[in-house]
């Protein structure tokens, strides 16, 4: 599950509402994004932050492209981002330790570490009586696209804890 520390979203999130960029809205609402996604270079650049989807079968790459067209900048995604601070406050108001193990996998952003994010991710382990954090080297936001082997190993290890 992709997530972050509620403390981060409550304490570090600014009060400015988050919204998609003007360019994203223009591209999606005019259909230009659909046209651009016929270009190999645009497809490659959209996949670059996700390790080029190198571990994903071609059929699922097509599904990914369709999902991008359907979900990029939609109201549900925008609403979730806009409500991040308020939702974090609700979670924090009823904070209780998880009775189950929690492994927090944190990216090293390809060697450009985000110290604030890492601080909150390390503290996020306190939400579980059996929490631990691993900083995964040479990965970006989508850790599973860079190290699917490690993700699988950690899930198996988690089931044994």
């Amino acid at each position: 599950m992709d997530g972050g520390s509620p403390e981060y979203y409550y304490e570090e999130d600014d009060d400015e509402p988050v919204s998609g960029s003007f360019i994203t809205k223009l591209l999606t609402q005019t259909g230009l994004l659909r046209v651009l996604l016929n270009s190999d270079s645009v497809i490659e650049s959209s996949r670059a932050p996700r390790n080029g989807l190198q571990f994903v079968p071609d059929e699922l790459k097509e599904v990914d492209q369709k999902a991008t067209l359907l979900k990029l900048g939609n109201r549900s995604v925008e609403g979730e981002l806009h409500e991040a601070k308020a939702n974090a406050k609700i979670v924090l108001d009823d904070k209780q330790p998880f009775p189950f193990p929690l492994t927090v996998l944190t990216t090293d952003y390809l060697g450009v570490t985000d110290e604030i994010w890492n601080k909150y991710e390390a503290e996020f382990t306190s939400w579980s009586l059996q929490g631990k954090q691993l900083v995964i080297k040479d990965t970006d936001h989508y850790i599973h696209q860079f190290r699917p082997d490690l993700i699988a190993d950690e899930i198996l290890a988690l089931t044994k804890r």
Side-chain angles (χ1 to χ4, degrees):
M1 171 173 44
D2 186 6
S5 164
E7 288 89 353
Y8 173 84
Y9 289 102
Y10 182 71
E11 295 170 12
E12 296 296 329
D13 193 26
D14 59 23
D15 291 327
E16 294 291 317
V18 177
S19 66
S21 72
F22 170 76
I23 298 295
T24 299
K25 287 181 182 179
L26 176 71
L27 292 175
T28 54
Q29 292 176 356
T30 62
L32 288 173
L33 181 63
R34 186 175 303 275
V35 172
L36 289 171
L37 284 175
N38 286 301
S39 161
D40 289 340
S41 64
V42 172
I43 292 171
E44 283 179 33
S45 69
S46 75
R47 293 177 178 167
R50 298 175 291 156
N51 201 24
L53 298 181
Q54 71 176 3
F55 298 113
V56 176
D58 288 340
E59 312 84 62
L60 291 181
K61 288 178 183 174
E62 290 178 29
V63 171
D64 175 75
Q65 188 170 335
K66 289 176 186 171
T68 298
L69 288 167
L70 290 170
K71 302 295 182 191
L72 185 66
N74 74 15
R75 279 186 234 152
S76 295
V77 173
E78 295 280 322
E80 182 181 321
L81 294 171
H82 181 73
E83 296 297 324
K85 187 170 192 150
N87 289 338
K89 173 88 169 92
I90 292 167
V91 171
L92 289 169
D93 285 347
D94 195 34
K95 180 179 178 178
Q96 297 175 26
F98 300 145
F100 50 82
L102 172 68
T103 300
V104 177
L105 303 174
T106 306
T107 179
D108 76 338
Y109 290 102
L110 300 172
V112 183
T113 303
D114 181 337
E115 295 300 329
I116 293 172
W117 179 256
N118 283 3
K119 169 186 164 283
Y120 283 102
E121 290 287 279
E123 292 171 4
F124 194 22
T125 61
S126 72
W127 280 68
S128 172
L129 300 174
Q130 300 175 59
K132 75 174 189 175
Q133 179 196 29
L134 297 173
V135 177
I136 312 304
K137 301 286 184 207
D138 302 320
T139 61
D140 207 341
H141 177 83
Y142 302 95
I143 297 170
H144 60 286
Q145 295 293 357
F146 289 81
R147 294 294 312 276
D149 57 323
L150 187 133
I151 300 299
D153 291 345
E154 282 304 314
I155 290 170
L156 292 172
L158 191 62
T159 63
K160 295 175 183 172
R161 288 186 18 210

